[in-house]
Amino acid sequence: MLRVKILLIAIIFLLNYPFNQVNAQKLANLPPKIINEQLDSDSDSLTNSWETNHQLNPYSALGDDGAAGDPDYDGLTNANEQIYATNPRNPDSDADGMNDGWEVRYGLNPTSALGDHGATGDADRDGLTNQEELFSNTHPTNPDTDGDGLRDGWEVDHQFSPINPAGYHGGAGDVDTDNLNNLQEHTAATNPRHPDSDGDGLPDGLEIEHGSNPLDCELDADADGLENQPELALATNPFNPDSDGDGLPDGWEVAQQLNPLSVAGIHGANGDGDADSLSHLQEYLHQTNPHQADSDGDGLLDGWEVQHHLNPLSSLANDGANADPDGDSLNNLAEQGFATNPRSADSDNDQLPDAWELQQQLDPLLAGGEVGTNGDPDADALTNLAEYRNSTRPLLADSDDDGLNDGWEVRYTLDPLDGFGVNGANGDPDGDGMNNLIELQRQTHPLQATYLVMLPLAQRFY
């Protein structure tokens, strides 16, 4: 009885003893017919030939030799290794750096090292290679392993955990405090670790808020002459060239020491800090200095030059103080002083040139009354226009001081500017014995003889 028990124990021991080289040798010496007939001698779902080929004991269903065994510790049981045609003695059957169990678990082919199934493949197009997915503990066929809306590769590239959707690692995180959360940074392709991805001085969130491109480096986003960083410092709007809406660009106002956030007084469009008759808006449009009445230093006020279509930034040619663009013998400086028009020789359009009116002490800016075209301030019966045409003096009735008033002389075609000879008081152009002065006094015609009146006097000469 004891011998029977010992025999049974020996048989059980042999069945459970690891398949050694001796057993393998014996198995190899068996006729092929016998082996093929016994496809799964130990009923562990592993064929004898497969077990034999991979140095497993076809007569043992226990431990590493059984269907549930995993002698290469790759996460695949022998049963699965047989199904996927992998090597149960090699954790990486295709030698691509990824163990068979991991590849099978995530739907990759453990027997192919090519394309999407290899180490450099990226089956889920998340920016991580399969090998990187393995090291990152991410899913190689799911681009967003933790389901936070961020691609695994993007998270790894920006030093976030691709398997943690919480806190600053998740879609709602904002590590760089630029008012864009990680999901928004991911969508905009901005840098979640840098508040100003394009380095233009504006936080990414602010650019997105105003419809600007946070990846396009525009140092002066609104092209107002003031760069973005100073705009933020001054509290002006970097996306609006005129923050206070007064028509003056922020950059120009700052450059001219005006307040870009105020429309009042001298800081607004209608201000005139230098009292040159140009508003700030006009100064901006003409690029003159709002703090200097004469920007080009030629003695002519900017406002006066602009009013008369001269260049307030040039002191050369017709724009300078000594120029005379209207050819009236008054230079620009004089025209400014008399408030006449440097572009018109007759500022008041009364047919009397400015220079003549000024010379004759008439007002070159008034065309009516005694100083106008039809005025006769010296009461010599010559209008100012007639005085001008005859070169007589409008404020002196007898220009040549010969006792004959200008109007009478002109009326009778005598020269009002010549006090001698036939044109003078003693002249007698009609030879009637009465000189011009007597003709004037008697209201007779100096060019038509009046002998009846002079007969008594004439008899004295006979």
Side-chain angles (χ1 to χ4, degrees), residues 21 26 30 45 61 70 82 87 156 175 237 268 315 323 387 453:
Q21 293 182 352
K26 289 180 178 180
L30 290 175
S45 77
D70 183 12
Q82 180 177 255
N87 188 341
V156 169
V175 178
N237 187 341
S315 59
E387 300 267 14
V453 175

Side-chain angles (χ1 to χ4, degrees), residues 326-328 330 335 341-348 352-355 357:
D326 58 5
D328 64 356
L330 293 176
E335 299 263 15
N341 187 344
R343 294 287 185 181
S344 172
D346 181 12
S347 297
D348 55 8
L352 307 174
D354 296 341
E357 292 195 78

Side-chain angles (χ1 to χ4, degrees), residues 28 85 235 283 295 402 410:
E283 299 266 12
S295 297
D402 60 359
V410 169

Side-chain angles (χ1 to χ4, degrees), residues 202-216 221 237 239:
L202 298 175
D204 296 338
L206 187 63
E207 292 202 69
I208 293 290
E209 178 186 348
H210 289 274
S212 183
N213 187 349
L215 297 176
D216 184 8
N237 187 341
F239 302 99

